Amino acid sequence: MLKIAVPKESDLGELRVALVPDIVARFIKLGFEVLVQSGAGQGAHFTDSAYEAAGATIVNSAKELWESADILLKVAPPGEQEGEEEMNWLKTGATLISFLNPLGNPEQVQALAQRKINAFSMEMIPRTSRAQSMDALSSQANIAGYKAALIASASLPRLFPMMTTAAGTIPPAKVLVIGAGVAGLQAIATARRLGAVVEAFDVRPAVKEEVQSVGAKFIEIPIEEDTATSQGYAKEVGQSTQEKIRQVLTEHIKKSDVVITTAQVQGKRAPLIVTEEMVGEMSSGAVIVDLAAGQGGNCACTEAGKDVYYNGVTIIGPLNLPSTLPVDSSKVYAKNLLTLVKYLVKDGAIDFNFEDDIVSGTCVTYEGEVRNERVKKALATLVQA
């Protein structure tokens, strides 16, 4: 019987948990033994007693839990506890499934390989219809986009919706969303539900219909180069194209009460879209919420984890927004993990079938080797530097 272990997250401010009690019960029915560290669900408001009622065994010691795991399910990459690297507690041949930031921190992936830990990175789930129910990047981005619109609404010193009153009509707020991936589309939909007039831009012309379907006007900028990866993610464009985009967006940003930016490229600095000069042309009281703050920001004025005030404009650089709504973000992440583990485990063991695109795309280390080509390239770049 495979032992699935769920630790308490050690990252400061990480309130999510990898499994919730309902999903634990489903793993138990599938024949797994589930170990949960005491207090693992506390930040997400899931008690130890709820996990026990679902059939889990509560383990008090973090080290004991990690050492017992055949499969360890986590949210954030392994960190440090009690002056020790958490990954060093895993036994040789154990499997780790977590967000690992493999392109941004390839050295840790290499360390996992050296420890002979078989690791699956949730960031690397292929963007295919077959893998959609495992796509944790999308499930968490959906929540981040929703929260970004709420933050913008709460921070703007005026109303989002139009209101007709005896004292006159208050016009709706104007919101611009830059980047129409999962987070951007949810930000659009939420801002529209709050009553704002919304327009959006994305380098991928193919998302125009999706933007319009959630109630926003799509800003069209002719772009000659290829703007999407084979998996459908936005691709980094050249400097001349970036400058062309900034020129067109300047007028739209100037007229906006709120700008929400979501443009990110895995393993690279986020593209600079909103310059300091563009911020300076916005009206006093305007708000920018930069969801790319953790990757350097789409706005030149962004500081990760801080609110910056520039010429009357508030620039908010939130980090880890899904963790601010830990109940539901944990629920959907746990479902992503359940679907993935069910897919991977066959006849009581993980089937490392690298002919399968989900397995080959997501597995970053196997039997002492870094096996993902993109991670290998990231490591090679570090060596050259």
Side-chain angles (χ1 to χ4, degrees), residues 188-200:
I188 292 167
T190 304
R192 286 286 296 128
R193 286 195 293 269
L194 291 170
V197 173
V198 187
E199 56 182 2

Side-chain angles (χ1 to χ4, degrees), residues 16 99 122-123 125 131-142 332-333 336-337:
R16 292 172 292 178
F99 284 114
M122 294 304 287
E123 292 96 333
I125 294 284
Q132 197 169 15
S133 58
M134 310 169 193
D135 187 354
L137 271 184
S138 292
S139 71
Q140 302 303 295
N142 194 48
V332 293
Y333 183 61
N336 295 143
L337 289 173

